[in-house]
Amino acid sequence: MSDMFKLNGKLALVTGSSQGIGHSLISGLADQGAIPVVNDRNGERAEAAVKAFAEKGVKAYSAVFDVTDKQAVDAGVDAIEDAVGPIEILINNAGIQYRTPLEDFPEEQWHRLLETNISGVFFTGQAVARHMIKRGSGKIINICSVQSELARPGIAPYTATKGAVRNLTRGMCTDWAKYGLQINGIAPGYFKTPLNQALVDNPEFTAWLEKRTPAGRWGDVEELVGAAVYLASPASSFVNGHVLAVDGGITVSV
C-alpha cells in the first residue's frame, strides 16, 4: 500500500511555491520522491527556494513566470517540458487576497484578484494539460478554499474567485478526464501563513476562529501535505472533480 503514495521521479510544478503554502506543498511532494519545479514571478525568490532544496540534497528546478501572463505561462511550461521533462503533477497554488468592505473595494484590486486567482489557474492548467493530454495521463490539483463554499465580511471578491476555482476544477475534470487526467482541488481552512498573518495576530479573530472551528485551532501548513500527496499519487486514480476540504471541520459546522 505504501507504494500507492510514492511519487518517485515524477516532475511536479507548483505555482507560487517559493514560500507559504506552495512551498510546503512542493516540499511534501519532494519528500515522496517527486522532482520539484519551483514557480514564482520573482526570480530571486525562486532561486532561493531551489538553493534551499539543494542544501537538503534535493535537485530542484525554477520556472520564473507570472501566472497572469498567458504568453509567459505557455512559454514557461513549454520550456520545462523541453529542458527538464514531462510535467506529471501540477498544483495551481498561486493566489492573492485583499480585504476591505465590499462597497469600498477598489476596481484595480478586483481585477488583480480575478487575474491571479482565476485566470492564473486557467492559463497554467490549460498549458500543462495540452502536454498531459498527449501522454494520456497527469494530475492537476487546484487550491480552492473554504471560501469556495462560505463567505465572510470584507472578502467577497476573493470568495467569488475561489468559488470559480471550485467550478473550474469540475469543468476541467469534465473535459479532460476522458484523456486520462485527474483534476481535483484542495480547500484549505484557516492556516497560519504570511497571507493570513494579520488575522493570526488579531486576538479577537483568533478567538472567533477557535470557537467556530470544531478542531478549535488554526491549521499548520504541513497539514495540507497529506492531501496533496494523496491527490498527486496513484492512490487517487479514480478520484476526479473532487474538492477535498482540509479545514478542521469549519465547513460542516454551524
Side-chain angles (χ1 to χ4, degrees):
M1 284 292 290
S2 62
D3 289 343
M4 294 179 68
F5 298 92
K6 291 297 184 183
L7 304 173
N8 293 340
K10 293 184 179 295
L11 198 65
L13 169 64
V14 181
T15 64
S17 53
S18 66
Q19 57 188 348
I21 286 177
H23 189 67
S24 292
L25 294 178
I26 200 167
S27 297
L29 298 185
D31 287 342
Q32 294 302 311
I35 302 169
V37 180
V38 178
N39 163 259
D40 198 295
R41 62 185 177 183
N42 181 297
E44 292 183 359
R45 286 199 299 258
E47 289 301 329
V50 168
K51 183 179 179 181
F53 273 118
E55 291 171 352
K56 296 188 295 184
V58 176
K59 176 63 176 176
Y61 299 87
S62 66
V64 181
F65 58 80
D66 186 335
V67 297
T68 69
D69 183 338
K70 180 175 174 15
Q71 290 185 335
V73 170
D74 288 345
V77 167
D78 288 346
I80 296 166
E81 290 271 340
D82 292 341
V84 183
I87 299 169
E88 297 176 81
I89 301 163
L90 166 67
I91 300 183
N92 279 310
N93 165 78
I96 60 171
Q97 172 66 290
Y98 188 86
R99 300 179 178 90
T100 197
L102 183 58
E103 63 273 18
D104 298 322
F105 208 90
E107 179 184 356
E108 64 272 17
Q109 295 299 334
W110 166 257
H111 289 295
R112 284 187 68 233
L113 282 169
L114 294 182
E115 290 167 3
T116 304
N117 295 359
I118 304 176
S119 295
V121 173
F122 173 68
F123 293 155
T124 312
Q126 184 185 57
V128 172
R130 288 192 182 113
H131 293 278
M132 290 179 169
I133 288 169
K134 295 175 185 176
R135 294 188 287 268
S137 66
K139 300 274 194 172
I140 297 176
I141 303 167
N142 297 327
I143 301 302
C144 303
S145 170
V146 292
Q147 266 76 48
S148 296
E149 305 290 342
L150 304 173
R152 191 173 65 77
I155 59 168
Y158 178 83
T159 299
T161 65
K162 289 302 183 177
V165 173
R166 176 198 61 199
N167 265 15
L168 182 56
T169 300
R170 294 168 175 171
M172 287 177 171
C173 166
T174 302
D175 275 48
W176 296 336
K178 62 188 175 185
Y179 299 115
L181 278 61
Q182 285 96 51
I183 303 93
N184 295 288
I186 297 174
Y190 284 88
F191 284 77
K192 296 176 182 178
T193 68
L195 196 67
N196 282 330
Q197 193 59 50
L199 298 179
V200 174
D201 294 339
N202 184 326
E204 183 179 353
F205 184 87
T206 292
W208 170 85
L209 177 68
E210 290 173 349
K211 184 177 180 181
R212 175 69 178 79
T213 305
R217 62 178 177 84
W218 285 88
D220 294 317
V221 291
E222 292 78 11
E223 293 176 294
L224 289 166
V225 171
V229 169
Y230 167 63
L231 292 176
S233 73
S236 60
S237 60
F238 202 56
V239 179
N240 227 328
H242 178 69
V243 177
L244 175 58
V246 185
D247 64 358
I250 197 170
T251 52
V252 301
S253 175
V254 176

